[in-house]
Amino acid sequence: MTIQQEVDFQRIAKAIHFLQENFKSQPTLGQIASHVYMSEAHFQRMFTAWAGTSPKKFLQYVSINYAKSLLKENNIAETTFQLGLSSSSRLHELFINIEGMTPAEYKNEGSNLLISYAYYQSLFGTMLIASTSKGICHIAYADDNITAFDALQQRFPNATYLQQGNSMHENALSALNPQDKDIRQVKLHLKGTDFQLKVWEALLKIPMGNLSTYGAIASQIGNPKAFRAVGTAVGSNPIAYLIPCHRVIQNSGIFGGYRWDPMRKTAMIGWETLHTAI
């Protein structure tokens, strides 16, 4: 993803926000383009190149009614997964393994860890990817590089940091690209409680193009009354996109918040839904 593509994505996110806020008034293409300071023709080309469809058609894939219809199909998708009849949309999730940090690693807040990190471009914006010798420990969208690195340091305040990429990052990047079918095994080395790890593992079972709810995740891990705790665990997910917390929404069909910007979550859900529906 080039710098220009990064700028384009920010405009797309702004356009999606405008569409959601003003959908009842049915804004024209010209009004949408004007909101992001572009000509109609340029905006139409840019949006279609990124999303694969027109702005208004894209909006149907991020509507509450469409989200509700996906939630109704969730049981079918889960049954398919349990039977082992995994579709190509599950390819990325099946190549991801989670390993929790040892009690000493968790308690010492990274005092014996060397963490390599670097910034990369992705379909949904710049990302900070970080790894230990055992696996990827952190992936976050980085709208501001300094702020993103500060967040990483807060998770592992006693670690030693080295700004450089490696093969683990490259494998993760491959899996981060929803269009890339040539992916390799990705190992995650995560700092989390047993409950958090269980929730994050459950998130991996949500196929691309599908949605789930906090209550459904709670039931899936055998603790149906813990939906609020599940919500907290989902919100603290340290691995953006690969652990697809963006696919968890409210029972009402409302997408809800997202630690890396709700509009990015909307763009991700819309893009995935569109490209698995084609």
Side-chain angles (χ1 to χ4, degrees), residues 8-19:
D8 288 347
F9 173 74
Q10 295 302 326
R11 287 174 169 170
I12 287 165
K14 187 175 181 180
I16 290 171
H17 180 71
F18 178 77
L19 281 166

Side-chain angles (χ1 to χ4, degrees), residues 7 67 84 95 115 130 134 147 225 228 241-242 262:
V7 172
F95 275 79
I115 295 179
K134 296 181 180 179
T147 301
K225 295 182 179 181
R228 288 190 177 86
Y241 198 82
L242 287 191

Side-chain angles (χ1 to χ4, degrees), residues 40-62:
E40 288 187 32
H42 187 191
F43 174 70
Q44 180 84 358
R45 286 195 301 271
M46 181 197 71
F47 196 99
T48 303
W50 181 85
T53 190
S54 67
K56 288 198 174 183
K57 181 69 173 178
F58 184 86
L59 190 63
Q60 114 178 26
Y61 292 96
V62 295

